Amino acid sequence: MSHFAFIDTHSHLTYPPLSDNPEAVIQRAVQQQVETILTIGTDIADNERVLSLAEKFPSVWAAVGLHPNDTHALDATQWEFFEEQVQHERVVAIGECGLDYLKGPADHELQKQICIKQIKTAQKHDLPLIIHTRESMEDMLKILTNCQPVRGVLHCFSGTVEQAHQAITLGFLIGFNGIVTFPNAKDIQKVAQEIPLSSILLETDCPYLAPQPVRGKTNEPQYIPMIADHIARLKRITRDEVAEQTSINAKNLFKLIIRN
């Protein structure tokens, strides 16, 4: 066991099956010393569910965002409602937002427009960003370069060591989830080895991407220590060092006040 508590900086507690009993999910996490959880919204309706969870559970904080896979032209009323969500007292970040090119080029420009609009909202409210990228890292880094100053995390990082260093220079941390534990994830493991621990966040992206020891099961925040153990092995340091520094990183980025 670690002497330090962990923080899961990216979960989807509103997604089934986690949403069936979030209290039990949170209790299992606490038993594994994961004492703080960020749960992430992906559209206006999901943001409302995220906010409700954060209101109910003191250990849960919220991020609200418009995911690129749910891209659509928001009308003024919908955007006004999103602006209200952003100002909720339990919101510590905007996201997840970003670019997802997996399905082809049909809506890339619209994705960029909505992403930039969210970046400007984050700047307006002095909030960090939780950035989603899939087959779009180069374009995403260009946008972040053009929108300085910004800060946040590149969640579920899938880029190169060079791109990770570029993101860090731009004011971003790098999020690692269960993928870093997969035997064939050599490129991501290399990134974890080569960037400083002060630039790393731990995340599950649950209910997806369970780490290797429980691969194929529903992912949960309780599995964060497995990710920490793997990063510790890659960097030849202790689990305690990973737990302590990544929690400091999360508290500083999201301005978390941890209520123990």
Side-chain angles (χ1 to χ4, degrees):
M1 295 290 281
S2 171
H3 294 99
F4 300 94
F6 295 94
I7 297 175
D8 183 353
T9 62
H10 198 110
S11 71
H12 294 284
L13 299 183
T14 58
Y15 287 15
L18 305 183
S19 57
D20 296 340
N21 192 348
E23 186 169 8
V25 173
I26 293 165
Q27 288 173 348
R28 287 193 289 270
V30 170
Q31 289 168 1
Q32 299 300 320
Q33 296 178 278
V34 183
E35 296 182 358
T36 305
I37 302 169
L38 272 63
T39 189
I40 315 300
T42 54
D43 59 38
I44 286 176
D46 191 41
N47 290 343
E48 284 298 292
R49 294 188 289 270
V50 161
L51 292 174
S52 295
L53 276 179
E55 288 173 350
K56 185 176 181 181
F57 300 105
S59 62
V60 175
W61 296 87
V64 294
L66 305 169
H67 192 286
N69 283 345
D70 298 311
T71 295
H72 56 285
L74 294 167
D75 63 31
T77 302
Q78 291 171 312
W79 189 264
E80 187 175 323
F81 192 55
F82 177 67
E83 284 272 6
E84 290 177 8
Q85 294 176 327
V86 167
Q87 297 176 66
H88 191 285
E89 65 178 1
R90 299 293 293 175
V91 168
V92 296
I94 289 181
E96 59 187 290
C97 58
L99 304 174
D100 193 317
Y101 291 176
L102 185 64
K103 295 179 182 178
D107 64 349
H108 289 186
E109 289 309 310
L110 183 58
Q111 284 191 26
K112 290 176 185 178
Q113 290 171 20
I114 293 176
C115 179
I116 291 168
K117 201 168 182 180
Q118 289 179 86
I119 291 171
K120 290 179 178 177
T121 300
Q123 291 169 324
K124 175 183 174 183
H125 295 283
D126 191 26
L127 287 168
L129 293 153
I130 296 173
I131 297 292
H132 169 102
T133 60
R134 190 178 291 164
E135 299 184 12
S136 57
M137 186 67 72
E138 189 174 332
D139 279 1
M140 193 69 246
L141 289 172
K142 285 179 184 175
I143 288 174
L144 296 177
T145 300
N146 293 335
C147 289
Q148 289 290 302
V150 286
R151 70 184 196 279
V153 55
L154 293 188
H155 126 80
C156 191
F157 187 77
S158 60
T160 64
V161 172
E162 292 74 22
Q163 288 171 329
H165 283 301
Q166 185 180 349
I168 292 165
T169 301
L170 291 171
F172 280 77
L173 302 183
I174 307 299
F176 293 99
N177 54 29
I179 292 174
V180 78
T181 71
F182 296 173
N184 62 347
K186 301 303 182 186
D187 292 345
I188 302 304
Q189 291 165 3
K190 184 178 179 183
V191 175
Q193 283 178 310
E194 296 203 16
I195 67 172
L197 188 59
S198 59
S199 295
I200 290 176
L201 293 181
L202 304 179
E203 57 175 62
T204 55
D205 204 14
C206 61
Y208 313 115
L209 301 174
Q212 187 65 29
V214 288
R215 196 168 179 180
K217 294 185 178 181
T218 298
N219 200 7
E220 292 192 16
Q222 65 168 316
Y223 299 137
I224 280 284
M226 294 181 184
I227 300 166
D229 284 342
H230 202 82
I231 289 175
R233 286 194 292 272
L234 289 170
K235 299 185 84 64
R236 299 183 179 181
I237 57 178
T238 66
R239 174 197 274 206
D240 274 355
E241 288 175 276
V242 175
E244 181 181 25
Q245 186 60 55
T246 57
S247 292
I248 289 170
N249 300 343
K251 290 174 187 177
N252 289 342
L253 179 62
F254 299 113
K255 299 181 180 176
L256 295 176
I257 301 169
I258 307 302
R259 298 187 178 101
N260 292 324

